[in-house]
Every structure is written in structure tokens, then in C-alpha cells.
């Protein structure tokens, strides 16, 4: 369910901000990231459960900013966890420029990049129209000086844009494969991506009063 892709982290975002984070073996039991929608209330639990960062749901596929986004970001920032929004674009709504503007205007201060979800049910049927929408979407992120990257997998990407569409492979990638295995050894290159930065490996875990999904870091040298 793409509407449920709420909170994510991946390690490349940390490096992109010029910060080196060393993980002690004493916190290895923690998850890198939890993802959920709605309002976060139990911040102490969140800090105990997660190591580094969360990405809050920022934009709904119905064409509006998530009403909980700004409050969630403000609550999470003081905890020391890195935080930023993700976006479910509303293709049927059109006007990608306005969608980006609405998100950026509402998000306030963040410490992570925007993650753009590419899942089949969020987009149209025509590859060329989907490509046009995506180009306009990312052009506006550049105009607003906000970095954005992707959450998707090969099936959804190819269904939405076609197999020959690789012009966005310079952006970061988290791929979805909820097989319960943190390893990224099963990643198969697609759309110009030779490796992924993270893997969503498990969904719908009960924690901190919400349902969380978890993501692992991917090491390029261990991927196909």
C-alpha cells in the first residue's frame, strides 16, 4: 500500500550532508528506521527503537499535504533523529509544480531529502505522460533547491515508465522487497541503477503505538 509508506531512512542521506555516523555494536539491535503514518506521540519509544532517522509522510496521493507532517517533523527534530518527508505524487491531479510547492512550503526545517514514491497505483497508464510528469516534478524540486530521491522497485518503475527509462538513475534509490531479509544481495540492477542505497525489508511491525516498516542499508560491493 503506497499510501502507507510513512517513515524511511537510508545511509546515503547522512553522507550527503557531510556527516559520518559510526554505529556501535551496542545498538545493533535497533532498527535504522521505522515508517508510519499519522501522529507520533511516543517519542521516547521512537528514540529507543530507531538508530538514526525517520521520513514522515508528507504528501498524499489524493493531492494534498499530509496534515500531520509539519507537527511530526517539529516533534522529531529535537530528538536528534534525522527527519524529512516522503511524497506520494497525485498524477491524476496534474500540476506537479504546485504539488512540490505545496509540500516544500509546508515542510519547514528538515534534515533529510524528500523521497518520491513510484508505485503503479499512484500513476497513469501512459508511459510518456508519466515521464513528463516526473520530469516536471523534479524540475520544480531543483527550482526550490530541495533534493529528492526514489522509493520503488523494478516492477513498479517499469510498469509506470517503461523498461528503457533510465534518466533518473543519478538519484538515490530505496527498493521495496519485503522478504524479511536485511541483505541487499537480491538487488537486480534496473533503470540505470547499479545498486540501491536501502531496502524496505519488512512491513507492518507493531511498535511505539503505531505500525512500522523497517529499512536496511545496502553496501554496493555486496550487490549484483
Amino acid at each position: 500500500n503506497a499510501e502507507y509508506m510513512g517513515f524511511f531512512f537510508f545511509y546515503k542521506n547522512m553522507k550527503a550532508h557531510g556527516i559520518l555516523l559510526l554505529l556501535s555494536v551496542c545498538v545493533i539491535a535497533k532498527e535504522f528506521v521505522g515508517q508510519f503514518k499519522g501522529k507520533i506521540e511516543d517519542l521516547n519509544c521512537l528514540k529507543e527503537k530507531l538508530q538514526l532517522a525517520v521520513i514522515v509522510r508528507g504528501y498524499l496521493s489524493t493531492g494534498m499535504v499530509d496534515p500531520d507532517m509539519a507537527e511530526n517533523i517539529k516533534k522529531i527534530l529535537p530528538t536528534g533523529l534525522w527527519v524529512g518527508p516522503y511524497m506520494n505524487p497525485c498524477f491524476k491531479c496534474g500540476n506537479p509544480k504546485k504539488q512540490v510547492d505545496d509540500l516544500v512550503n509546508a515542510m519547514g526545517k528538515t534534515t533529510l531529502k524528500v523521497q518520491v514514491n513510484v508505485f503503479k497505483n499512484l500513476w497513469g497508464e501512459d508511459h510518456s505522460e508519466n515521464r513528463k510528469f516526473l520530469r516536471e516534478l523534479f524540475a520544480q524540486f531543483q527550482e526550490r533547491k530541495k533534493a529528492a530521491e526514489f522509493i520503488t522497485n523494478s516492477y513498479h518503475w517499469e510498469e509506470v515508465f517503461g523498461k528503457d527509462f533510465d534518466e533518473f538513475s543519478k538519484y538515490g534509490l530505496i527498493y521495496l522487497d519485503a522478504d524479511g531479509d536485511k541483505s541487499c544481495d537480491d538487488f537486480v540492477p534496473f533503470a540505470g541503477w547499479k545498486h540501491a542505497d536501502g531496502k524496505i525489508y519488512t512491513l507492518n511491525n507493531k511498535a511505539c503505538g503505531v505500525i512500522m516498516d523497517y529499512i536496511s542499508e545496502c553496501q554496493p560491493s555486496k550487490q549484483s
Side-chain angles (χ1 to χ4, degrees), residues 17-122:
H17 285 273
I19 292 178
L20 177 62
L21 298 173
L22 301 178
L23 305 182
S24 169
V25 292
C26 69
V27 296
I28 198 67
K30 288 189 176 183
E31 298 291 344
F32 272 177
V33 63
Q35 68 102 34
F36 56 97
K37 65 179 181 180
K39 292 183 179 180
I40 177 62
E41 301 293 348
D42 195 342
L43 294 176
N44 288 330
C45 177
L46 195 66
K47 288 189 292 183
E48 292 175 359
K49 187 67 178 175
L50 305 177
Q51 287 188 30
L52 295 174
V54 289
I55 297 180
V56 307
R57 188 174 66 173
Y59 198 86
L60 306 176
S61 63
T62 52
M64 62 179 289
V65 172
D66 188 306
D68 296 320
M69 176 187 66
E71 182 180 351
N72 282 333
I73 290 174
K74 288 179 181 178
K75 284 182 178 179
I76 293 167
L77 275 172
T79 69
L81 292 169
W82 291 64
V83 60
Y86 85 94
M87 182 181 199
N88 280 331
C90 182
F91 176 83
K92 64 184 179 183
C93 301
N95 202 347
K97 178 179 182 295
K98 183 179 185 300
Q99 293 186 39
V100 171
D101 285 341
D102 289 346
L103 174 62
V104 172
N105 290 342
M107 61 194 278
K109 180 182 177 181
T110 60
T111 47
L112 292 179
K113 300 177 182 180
V114 177
Q115 304 298 314
V116 176
N117 282 341
V118 175
F119 296 106
K120 182 180 178 181
N121 63 305
L122 298 178

Side-chain angles (χ1 to χ4, degrees), residues 123-178:
W123 296 77
E125 297 294 327
D126 184 271
H127 289 169
S128 62
E129 290 298 316
N130 290 337
R131 294 178 183 189
K132 179 176 182 290
F133 185 98
L134 186 66
R135 291 181 183 118
E136 293 178 8
L137 195 80
F138 270 67
Q140 190 59 19
F141 276 123
Q142 290 181 336
E143 178 69 22
R144 296 298 303 268
K145 296 180 172 56
K146 291 293 182 180
E149 301 179 322
F150 292 101
I151 298 171
T152 188
N153 60 26
S154 60
Y155 167 77
H156 287 284
W157 186 269
E158 292 170 4
E159 286 289 310
V160 173
F161 302 117
K163 292 184 178 181
D164 61 339
F165 189 59
D166 62 0
E167 66 185 74
F168 283 82
S169 59
K170 66 181 179 181
Y171 296 95
L173 171 68
I174 296 173
Y175 76 106
L176 173 62
D177 184 5

